[in-house]
């Protein structure tokens, strides 16, 4: 990696451009020439003289007039290449195009025109060109109500606003912004991913999902703050959509309250519930208080004291022998709670004892698998 390499990024303040620029900086590239709609136009000539690689990402998705598609998408590409030719700079150029370049609509036609201009430029100058036909790109910092339905859905659902879904069965191909940027960095390093024909470049990780499934997941993320459910983050698309959804939360609503079950002994609060990984709760006990004194046939638990001090006691059902485990927030240890042992936790300190508790199953009041018996 050449940290001093001069990299021109057009559309640097847009969705893809912003994510690309911060990633390049994180990876040690320090000489990034950022060009956007509000940049002094005189700088383009200077940047085209200096650039050793060009990420041409600038473009419009929803202009006021349809004529702007061609003027901004194809027209600016022509101008950029003209400046590079004038500077006799044949550095590699990456172009952000769209799968809509295959369609006969104003946006697609403008993207196709930009591709043709770039390929002709490559034939004329010998410059390496990398044309990416992106499908729907989603992720953080994408403008809602502009160029991404996912962004619009996330924004509206997070705010309780209505959304419009004309046909939930429509299937979308999606690429995640981090996967896009990772591919672009590989392209910068000469390791781009090409399609089978070798003419276009592509992001190797593409997710296929219906519109209805996307909306269902987004609403489940919203509802998880009330029902405490945790989605299956082992699924890459679910994980990426969840990260995207959270990035659209109103800034004054990052936090949400939990239902604390409080009595004179302290409190017990459920934190997270999962369909296949059990649940996590927080237990707080006041000094001198003992909680528990129950056992389970099959349910198992893990206790982790994070503050205060106490002792966890066990007695196997049918036995008289009591086993003790001293616990303290000063030294974090996990204590497994096997089935068939009645158990308790006593606060032996002078301050509240705080215990993170994991149970192997979500609590079911119809089948609690909990039997009270003193240790």
């Amino acid at each position: 990696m050449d940290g001093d390499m001069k990299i021109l990024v057009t559309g640097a303040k847009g969705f893809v451009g912003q994510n690309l620029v911060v990633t390049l900086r994180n990876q040690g590239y320090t000489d990034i020439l950022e060009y956007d709609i509000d940049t002094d136009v005189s700088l383009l000539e200077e940047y085209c003289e200096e650039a050793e690689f060009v990420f041409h990402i600038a473009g419009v998705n929803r202009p006021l007039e349809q004529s702007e598609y061609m003027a901004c998408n194809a027209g600016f590409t022509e101008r950029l290449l003209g400046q590079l030719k004038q500077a006799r700079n044949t550095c590699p150029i990456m172009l952000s195009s769209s799968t809509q370049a295959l369609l006969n609509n104003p946006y697609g036609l403008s993207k196709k025109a930009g591709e043709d201009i770039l390929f002709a430029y490559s034939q004329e100058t010998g410059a390496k060109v990398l044309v990416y036909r992106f499908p729907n790109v989603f992720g953080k910092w994408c403008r809602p109500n502009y160029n991404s339905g996912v962004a619009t859905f996330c924004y509206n659902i997070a705010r309780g606003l209505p959304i419009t879904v004309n046909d939930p069965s429509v299937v979308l191909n999606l690429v995640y912004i981090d996967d896009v940027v990772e591919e672009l960095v590989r392209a910068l390093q000469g390791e781009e991913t090409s399609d089978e024909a070798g003419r276009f470049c592509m992001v190797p990780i593409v997710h296929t999902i219906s519109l209805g499934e996307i909306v269902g997941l987004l609403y489940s993320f919203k509802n998880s703050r009330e029902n405490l459910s945790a989605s299956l983050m082992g699924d890459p698309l679910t994980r990426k959509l969840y990260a995207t959804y959270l990035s659209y939360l109103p800034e004054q609503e990052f936090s949400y309250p939990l239902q604390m079950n409080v009595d004179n002994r302290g409190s017990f609060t459920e934190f997270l519930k999962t369909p296949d990984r059990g649940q996590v709760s927080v237990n707080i006990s006041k000094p001198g208080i003992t909680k528990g004194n129950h056992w389970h046939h099959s349910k198992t638990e893990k206790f982790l004291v994070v503050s205060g001090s106490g002792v966890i006691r066990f007695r196997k059902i049918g036995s008289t022998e009591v086993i003790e485990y001293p616990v303290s927030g000063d030294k974090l240890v996990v204590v497994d709670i096997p089935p068939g042992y009645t158990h308790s936790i006593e606060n032996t300190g002078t301050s509240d004892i705080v215990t993170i508790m994991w149970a192997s199953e979500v609590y079911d009041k119809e089948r609690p698998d909990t039997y009270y018996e003193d240790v």
Side-chain angles (χ1 to χ4, degrees):
M1 185 194 78
D2 183 1
D4 295 329
M5 185 181 190
K6 292 182 184 294
I7 303 168
L8 170 57
V9 180
T10 72
K13 294 181 180 178
F15 168 38
V16 176
Q18 189 179 356
N19 278 277
L20 174 61
V21 167
V22 297
T23 298
L24 289 172
R25 293 196 190 285
N26 286 342
Q27 296 198 8
Y29 293 97
T30 58
D31 210 342
I32 302 172
L33 311 172
E34 299 182 44
Y35 191 90
D36 212 287
I37 194 167
D38 59 352
T39 306
D40 186 337
V41 293
S42 65
L43 287 175
L44 186 61
E45 180 180 349
E46 176 187 326
Y47 288 171
C48 285
E49 290 178 353
E50 298 178 355
E52 297 170 78
F53 193 102
V54 177
F55 287 108
H56 180 29
I57 303 172
V60 295
N61 294 78
R62 290 193 179 183
L64 296 175
E65 300 292 336
Q66 288 198 355
S67 60
E68 292 180 51
Y69 279 120
M70 198 62 74
C72 296
N73 291 336
F76 181 67
T77 298
E78 205 159 27
R79 183 174 159 217
L80 172 69
L81 299 179
Q83 294 281 11
L84 288 167
K85 278 197 284 189
Q86 184 176 315
R88 293 183 173 83
N89 185 349
T90 57
C91 70
I93 307 171
M94 169 270 167
L95 173 68
S96 173
S97 188
S98 167
T99 52
Q100 291 202 41
L102 296 167
L103 304 179
N104 187 25
N105 61 46
Y107 176 68
L109 291 171
S110 70
K111 285 296 190 182
K112 179 65 165 60
E115 293 176 359
D116 292 342
I117 291 167
L118 191 64
F119 283 129
Y121 169 83
S122 176
Q123 286 188 330
E124 178 186 346
T125 65
K128 180 179 180 179
V129 297
L130 306 166
V131 178
Y132 284 84
R133 282 184 169 173
F134 294 127
N136 298 279
V137 186
F138 72 101
K140 68 183 183 301
W141 303 339
C142 185
R143 216 162 103 197
N145 302 301
Y146 182 63
N147 62 349
S148 167
V150 173
T152 303
F153 291 155
C154 287
Y155 181 89
N156 285 14
I157 290 172
R159 287 161 177 75
L161 301 174
I163 63 171
T164 301
V165 181
N166 294 322
D167 184 357
S169 67
V170 168
V171 174
L172 300 179
N173 290 321
L174 302 175
V175 288
Y176 183 51
I177 187 60
D178 287 7
D179 295 327
V180 171
V181 169
E182 189 173 313
E183 167 62 24
L184 295 185
V185 172
R186 284 196 295 269
L188 175 65
Q189 297 167 349
E191 299 173 1
E192 66 277 2
T193 305
S194 298
D195 64 9
E196 291 182 4
R199 181 170 174 80
F200 294 95
C201 297
M202 57 181 285
V203 179
I205 302 173
V206 180
H207 301 282
T208 302
I209 185 173
S210 73
L211 199 53
E213 289 174 307
I214 292 173
V215 170
L217 279 170
L218 296 180
Y219 273 115
S220 77
F221 301 153
K222 177 181 177 64
N223 295 335
S224 70
R225 291 175 145 216
E226 296 178 3
N227 61 27
L228 307 183
S229 63
S231 299
L232 297 174
M233 295 299 164
D235 173 59
L237 179 56
T238 300
R239 187 169 63 248
K240 294 167 185 178
L241 281 170
Y242 182 67
T244 302
Y245 174 77
L246 285 191
S247 74
Y248 288 92
L249 287 176
E251 291 184 352
Q252 69 275 17
E253 295 180 19
F254 286 176
S255 68
Y256 59 99
L258 296 175
Q259 177 61 51
M260 297 179 66
N261 300 293
V262 181
D263 58 25
N264 59 357
R265 302 174 302 160
S267 64
F268 180 82
T269 306
E270 294 178 316
F271 172 36
L272 283 177
K273 299 179 179 181
T274 71
D276 64 344
R277 296 291 189 275
Q279 77 172 52
V280 178
S281 306
V282 180
N283 184 75
I284 300 176
S285 299
K286 296 182 180 299
I289 293 296
T290 298
K291 285 188 178 182
N293 283 317
H294 61 236
W295 63 279
H296 316 288
H297 273 300
S298 296
K299 182 190 298 184
T300 62
E301 297 171 295
K302 292 179 182 289
F303 288 2
L304 172 62
V305 170
V306 295
S307 180
S309 58
V311 60
I312 297 174
R313 295 186 175 92
F314 297 90
R315 180 175 60 80
K316 189 175 183 178
I317 298 304
S319 169
T320 59
E321 181 186 3
V322 175
I323 305 161
E324 295 189 350
Y325 282 85
V327 286
S328 167
D330 295 333
K331 183 179 181 181
L332 300 187
V333 296
V334 175
V335 179
D336 274 318
I337 313 297
Y341 284 82
T342 185
H343 50 276
S344 66
I345 179 167
E346 179 187 0
N347 184 342
T348 58
T350 57
S351 61
D352 287 355
I353 186 171
V354 180
T355 308
I356 306 299
M357 294 181 170
W358 171 84
S360 58
E361 58 189 58
V362 173
Y363 178 74
D364 180 355
K365 64 180 179 180
E366 301 298 325
R367 298 187 63 185
D369 187 15
T370 300
Y371 306 92
Y372 290 92
E373 185 173 331
D374 287 343
V375 174

